[in-house]
Amino acid sequence: MSCRYSYGGDEHIFVEVDPSMSLEAFFTSLSMTNAVRDAKIEGITEICPANASFQIKFDPDVIAPEDLMARLQELEAQAEAAPAVLDTRIVEIPVYYQDPWTHETLMRFRERHQDPAATDLEYAARINGYDSVEAFIEAHSGAPWFVSMVGFVSGLPFLYQMVDRDRQIEVPKYLRPRTDTPKQTVGYGGCFSCIYSVRGAGGYQMFGITPMPIYDPEQKVAHLKEFMVFFRPGDIVKWKPITREEYDRILREVEEGSYTPRIRPVRFSLEEFNADIDGTNAKLMEALHAD
Amino acid sequence: MPINVISAGISTTVQDLGRPGYYHLGIPMGGAMDRMALRAGNLLVGNEEGAACLECAFFGPELEFTEDAVIAITGAELPPKIDGAPQPTWTALDVRAGQVLSFDYLQAGARAYIAVAGGIDVPMALGSRSTYAIGALGGVKGRAVQPGDELPIGTGAKAGTGKSLPPELRRLPAARAELRILPGLYNHRLTEASLTQFFKEDWRVANEADRMGYRFQGGTPLEFVAQDQPFGAGSDPSNITDACYPYGSVQVPSGAEPIILHRDAVSGGGYFMLGTVISADMDLIGQLQPNMHVRFVPVDMATALQARHDRRQQLDRIRKALA
């Protein structure tokens, strides 16, 4: 894998690890951004890892753009040699699929959709070759996901499913973006799932909603007291389909301050994963449910 | 003793120099769209350069002062009035307790800054008072100013009055503005002829022009190099595998209307970008009005750095003039 470097004006360097998404590209991006952080290069003001690329913001009054470019290129070889092993955490996120709120929203924006006669889930299931919405939800929630980028708006995670390429779901974005999306909607665009952290515009297909807050600028929610943003790149997520009753119960617990997300520490090795995808995922599930 | 907001204008927000450091979480730098104007306003009233001011777009607010204050209006030519009496812009003005600051119609530019000695003293959020409305962060309760709000004023500024910034040190875009762009990022996705055409054309600022980004219309739709789309990017030729967006980057969804991302930009997404506005020209974008004509001028890194240097010297001249 050979990276493509470009300047973003006089204050950014943009590095595309690969034009296509893959776990290999994600891990290279993550290793490189870690290497850049560890190198403590003076003049760097922001390090932003993304799915298969990353961006460095810098002050050209402190470091010349070509000098920083050369330093980053040196770090590429170092990052590629680093083992793709990650000490991270796995989080269970409850999802109420086919909920009334995203349903109301998707009906409101039907004229902006590829298939106005179907719901987003029916459409996604059909174009990905699933017989039923239930089978599609099973595929979406059956295997874990990597948080491969945090961004767009405050604390929104982009997630990439940990299955081999031919099992990966792909859906287009809306023909024209919506002006409204319920907060905590679980969306899908390209090969990425996301959770909308705030209410607002959005172009991803809408599959469901989670009662678990992931962004709280007031930091009142129990699991966001330490920091207002929940996710970081490298987090592993497992969706757990829930019913309306469970949804309402969790909302109440969040309100009372008693809700605790299920989070467990895990070590992930890309090499082990590639050698045995289903086996690795099964071990991740064991770690998630070990108490 | 606060400032009482009687009416709020179209979009009046508390802004300072922003909150860098959280873009990797989707929380943008934010801060004044025209940082030079904010700095000049603060220097005029004896504040630290980065103190929080009010940024108002197109229409000014109406504000009642409940204590004596020193203020300055910079940026757009938005003529201030105190109790109805016209006042100069770019000048430190005395306001007495009970007086009302209002504004006449906008004459030039798009965003004016109201600096108050002591600064607007709303609570800090992640190191800045800037309002990031999408994330409900900073400013007054994370949103734009509304009628009925009370804006606290800080203390400790060494307010002088009667200071004025010489006209040659004020900057607003010409009627036909030029924005310099360093080409790059994903410009290889376009045919050479299409990229050349982009820089030759006359573009107009669209109505969709806010703190997140400025949209432009009027040019020829772009032409993409034929390719099989990369896995994960999406099917439209303007789609990329979702990536980070530099501030000032020019994205062109579906190749139709360019959008320049600004201070409250989304931090990333799935649209290709053809280059980035150089840092020295970012302040100018926030002063463009809808329908203004704009040319995009391609430049190299050396020119970008020289322009940045010139801009810093301009700031030094402002500092000297107001010292």
Side-chain angles (χ1 to χ4, degrees):
Chain A
M1 216 171 277
S2 180
C3 295
R4 185 175 68 78
Y5 295 78
S6 176
Y7 292 113
D10 48 322
E11 292 186 339
H12 309 82
I13 291 180
F14 179 83
V15 184
E16 183 185 66
V17 175
D18 197 303
S20 301
M21 184 57 192
S22 66
L23 275 182
E24 282 69 20
F26 163 70
F27 268 90
T28 305
S29 161
L30 198 63
S31 311
M32 279 193 75
T33 50
N34 287 338
V36 173
R37 195 172 299 108
D38 293 346
K40 295 190 167 48
I41 301 165
E42 216 186 323
I44 288 181
T45 55
E46 308 237 15
I47 300 169
C48 303
N51 299 306
S53 58
F54 65 94
Q55 176 178 298
I56 305 293
K57 187 162 190 280
F58 67 99
D59 181 349
D61 302 334
V62 178
I63 185 165
E66 65 271 23
D67 291 348
L68 180 55
M69 184 71 96
R71 289 295 301 278
L72 294 180
Q73 285 168 338
E74 278 165 31
L75 291 171
E76 181 178 340
Q78 187 185 320
E80 280 192 339
V85 176
L86 194 61
D87 282 309
T88 183
R89 55 181 185 168
I90 182 163
V91 189
E92 185 173 77
I93 307 277
V95 183
Y96 179 20
Y97 290 93
Q98 306 190 78
D99 66 288
W101 305 284
T102 58
H103 184 78
E104 184 276 327
T105 309
L106 68 88
M107 291 311 288
R108 211 164 3 113
F109 291 100
R110 224 57 215 137
E111 87 289 353
R112 303 185 184 209
H113 196 269
Q114 289 83 355
D115 187 352
T119 66
D120 292 9
L121 265 171
E122 286 163 357
Y123 168 70
R126 179 169 58 75
I127 64 166
N128 281 280
Y130 290 88
D131 295 337
S132 66
V133 164
E134 288 67 31
F136 181 78
I137 291 171
E138 172 56 31
H140 186 255
S141 60
W145 299 70
F146 257 105
V147 174
S148 50
M149 175 172 173
V150 177
F152 183 61
V153 291
S154 318
L156 179 151
F158 289 80
L159 303 115
Y160 180 70
Q161 197 167 24
M162 299 162 64
V163 292
D164 49 60
R165 175 70 53 97
D166 53 2
R167 284 160 64 195
Q168 260 156 3
I169 301 161
E170 270 200 286
V171 295
K173 296 170 189 176
Y174 269 48
L175 294 172
R176 283 184 297 130
R178 297 175 304 275
T179 52
D180 192 18
T181 311
K183 184 176 167 180
Q184 288 158 219
T185 290
V186 174
Y188 213 112
C191 67
F192 299 105
S193 234
C194 82
I195 306 171
Y196 285 89
S197 51
V198 295
R199 184 177 176 180
Y204 277 25
Q205 308 279 337
M206 294 181 292
F207 290 174
I209 199 160
T210 175
M212 178 181 148
I214 59 164
Y215 171 69
D216 177 19
E218 297 186 61
Q219 292 178 258
K220 285 185 178 154
V221 172
H223 63 271
L224 296 170
K225 280 218 156 67
E226 270 179 35
F227 194 61
M228 60 181 74
V229 169
F230 180 75
F231 284 108
R232 34 185 198 253
D235 280 341
I236 297 174
V237 165
K238 175 67 172 58
W239 308 119
K240 184 194 180 195
I242 57 167
T243 61
R244 175 67 191 261
E245 288 67 34
E246 285 170 285
Y247 178 86
D248 289 341
R249 179 177 53 77
I250 293 171
L251 271 196
R252 262 198 319 276
E253 289 179 6
V254 168
E255 193 66 28
E256 290 162 2
S258 62
Y259 179 70
T260 318
R262 178 173 280 271
I263 305 171
R264 297 291 179 271
V266 285
R267 167 164 281 208
F268 177 86
S269 152
L270 183 59
E271 198 180 336
E272 283 171 23
F273 176 80
N274 284 335
D276 180 7
I277 291 177
D278 292 336
T280 307
N281 287 344
K283 278 188 200 154
L284 286 170
M285 288 310 102
E286 273 171 39
L288 178 63
H289 295 294
D291 279 307
Chain B
M1 296 279 275
I3 299 171
N4 294 328
V5 179
I6 301 168
S7 67
I10 286 186
S11 173
T12 301
T13 54
V14 177
Q15 298 295 343
D16 55 20
L17 289 174
R19 61 172 65 75
Y22 303 95
Y23 206 44
H24 66 291
L25 300 172
I27 299 172
M29 172 170 69
M33 294 278 281
D34 185 345
R35 297 159 68 101
M36 193 74 102
L38 176 115
R39 287 176 190 273
N42 278 322
L43 289 170
L44 278 164
V45 300
N47 287 346
E48 296 283 327
E49 276 177 35
C53 297
L54 291 176
E55 176 184 274
C56 38
F58 306 110
F59 278 91
E62 211 176 346
L63 306 171
E64 183 199 12
F65 285 75
T66 61
E67 64 179 302
D68 292 355
V70 177
I71 65 167
I73 313 303
T74 60
E77 270 310 304
L78 189 67
K81 296 185 287 189
I82 295 175
D83 279 353
Q87 306 290 328
T89 54
W90 301 92
T91 301
L93 307 169
D94 273 317
V95 190
R96 299 275 161 233
Q99 286 193 312
V100 172
L101 172 70
S102 63
F103 292 89
D104 245 319
Y105 289 113
L106 182 71
Q107 290 178 351
R111 282 179 176 76
Y113 293 85
I114 306 171
V116 182
I120 305 292
D121 196 22
V122 294
M124 293 273 234
L126 299 179
S128 163
R129 295 184 170 86
S130 286
T131 314
Y132 172 49
I134 294 161
L137 203 61
V140 181
K141 298 173 189 153
R143 55 160 172 77
V145 167
Q146 291 176 0
D149 281 347
E150 295 183 347
L151 307 171
I153 305 173
T155 52
K158 318 176 290 293
T161 55
K163 270 186 194 171
S164 191
L165 189 71
E168 67 273 16
L169 292 176
R170 309 170 187 180
R171 186 171 86 149
L172 282 176
R176 182 173 292 270
E178 284 193 350
L179 293 175
R180 287 167 289 185
I181 287 177
L182 188 71
L185 301 172
Y186 287 84
N187 66 350
H188 59 277
R189 294 287 303 111
L190 297 176
T191 65
E192 234 176 271
S194 182
L195 190 62
T196 308
Q197 180 73 9
F198 174 82
F199 288 113
K200 274 191 194 156
E201 292 200 291
D202 200 31
W203 295 89
R204 272 180 300 102
V205 179
N207 287 324
E208 210 174 299
D210 58 22
R211 294 186 44 83
M212 284 184 79
Y214 260 61
R215 189 182 279 262
F216 296 84
Q217 294 171 327
T220 312
L222 300 180
E223 200 180 283
F224 292 88
V225 177
Q227 71 161 14
D228 291 330
Q229 280 294 95
F231 176 79
S235 47
D236 192 278
S238 68
N239 289 170
I240 57 168
T241 296
D242 294 50
C244 287
Y245 292 151
Y247 295 106
S249 60
V250 188
Q251 57 175 240
V252 197
S254 305
E257 295 176 347
I259 299 169
I260 299 178
L261 296 177
H262 219 280
R263 307 276 185 227
D264 284 356
V266 292
S267 73
Y271 291 115
F272 98 109
M273 302 154 277
L274 58 77
T276 309
V277 175
I278 65 172
S279 62
D281 287 355
M282 286 296 283
D283 285 347
L284 272 184
I285 297 172
Q287 296 296 3
L288 298 175
Q289 297 178 351
N291 286 317
M292 271 183 77
H293 291 259
V294 174
R295 276 293 175 90
F296 301 119
V297 180
V299 295
D300 60 11
M301 181 61 88
T303 309
L305 293 177
Q306 183 59 47
R308 189 182 172 88
H309 176 75
D310 295 346
R311 196 96 181 95
R312 205 170 46 237
Q313 287 197 324
Q314 169 94 346
L315 178 60
D316 283 340
R317 283 195 291 273
I318 292 174
R319 285 175 181 142
K320 272 194 198 114
L322 299 178

